[in-house]
Amino acid sequence: MKKIPIPVYILLSILLLASCSKMDDYLQLSGRQEIAYTGRVDSLKVLPGDGRLKLTWLLISDPKITGVTIYYNSRKDSVVLPVERSAGIDSMSYLFSNMPEGSYSFEVYTWNNSGSRSVPAYITGRSYGPIYKSSLLNRALTTATLIDSDAQLSWGLAEETITGMEVSYTSNTGQSVVVQAPRSALSTTLKNYQPGSSFSYRTSFRPDTLCIDTFYADAVTRQPQ
């Protein structure tokens, strides 16, 4: 009789079924069960701050998630957050206070009431404090000139982390005035400036675009020419 060749895809299907059967037998003999994972957090971010950090994330998949656990300080500390899922995407966050200046690593899991949990999501961030603040220098003030009843200030180059300048002065009516100048400003006018008086200014900084706090250099005092 002539042998009829067996198609390759049939052979592959037979081998796959045999492999699955052996795995099922192994799980039954060993008493083990297949591992079920909950949905992992999505879009995990860390927002630095002044002695603090904020974590934000999304829950997109798995409506059965009932909690989130965050480990930090080499797993010595943790935070457990209950979750009430909505029908859509849930946005969550947690603010870590009292975090001395330095770098921190976080490990984030989701879990459910059945004991299942997700694969971890890792992220690293840093908090800022006295060391960073001591490094801040005010934006250079190139000229300060009294023209008629106004004082005209001209600014030097602004480094990337500068967000603006805050100028305080006294008007010719004796009132205290505060002017907020943006980083893009090349000059600032102090209207109705009181002749003979001084003004002070300080520069604001954000070391990271995601930073939740604004930092300031020490104020300096000047007098227009």
Side-chain angles (χ1 to χ4, degrees):
M1 294 179 63
K2 185 178 181 181
K3 292 184 179 180
I4 300 175
I6 301 175
V8 174
Y9 70 88
I10 294 179
L11 288 174
L12 291 176
S13 299
I14 293 172
L15 291 174
L16 181 60
L17 289 172
S19 176
C20 292
S21 177
K22 289 181 180 179
M23 180 58 70
D24 291 340
D25 292 342
Y26 169 75
L27 291 174
Q28 290 177 4
L29 290 172
S30 63
R32 295 176 56 188
Q33 295 181 346
E34 291 187 57
I35 300 174
Y37 293 101
T38 53
R40 189 184 184 191
V41 299
D42 194 84
S43 303
L44 179 62
K45 295 179 182 178
V46 57
L47 285 58
D50 186 359
R52 58 183 189 163
L53 299 105
K54 185 177 184 180
L55 260 61
T56 66
W57 63 91
L58 300 176
L59 298 179
I60 296 178
S61 61
D62 198 345
K64 296 181 180 179
I65 292 173
T66 54
V68 172
T69 298
I70 306 171
Y71 292 101
Y72 62 107
N73 284 343
S74 300
R75 275 182 157 258
K76 296 176 183 177
D77 297 303
S78 63
V79 175
V80 178
L81 305 173
V83 172
E84 291 187 11
R85 289 301 315 272
S86 67
I89 297 174
D90 293 314
S91 176
M92 295 187 67
S93 65
Y94 186 82
L95 179 64
F96 290 87
S97 302
N98 301 318
M99 304 289 275
E101 188 169 13
S103 297
Y104 296 87
S105 295
F106 300 92
E107 189 176 340
V108 185
Y109 293 88
T110 68
W111 43 270
N112 61 27
N113 290 334
S114 298
S116 300
R117 73 174 186 174
S118 68
V119 294
Y122 299 99
I123 197 166
T124 301
R126 66 163 299 180
S127 65
Y128 295 88
I131 297 175
Y132 172 72
K133 293 176 185 177
S134 65
S135 71
L136 300 179
L137 299 175
N138 280 295
R139 184 177 180 180
L141 182 65
T142 56
T143 61
T145 308
L146 194 61
I147 302 176
D148 295 328
S149 61
D150 299 334
Q152 187 74 27
L153 313 182
S154 297
W155 304 104
L157 295 176
E159 58 128 313
E160 290 184 1
T161 59
I162 288 177
T163 59
M165 294 73 64
E166 181 182 271
V167 185
S168 301
Y169 72 99
T170 303
S171 71
N172 53 23
T173 59
Q175 293 181 322
S176 295
V177 182
V178 177
V179 175
Q180 301 289 346
R183 178 185 184 278
S184 58
L186 299 178
S187 64
T188 301
T189 301
L190 309 181
K191 295 286 188 180
N192 302 316
Y193 190 89
Q194 185 180 76
S197 66
S198 300
F199 66 91
S200 65
Y201 79 95
R202 62 178 185 168
T203 307
S204 59
F205 297 81
R206 281 191 179 178
D208 188 295
T209 55
L210 297 177
C211 192
I212 57 177
D213 293 310
T214 299
F215 298 83
Y216 293 89
D218 293 334
V220 293
T221 301
R222 295 288 185 270
Q223 192 168 12
Q225 299 175 355

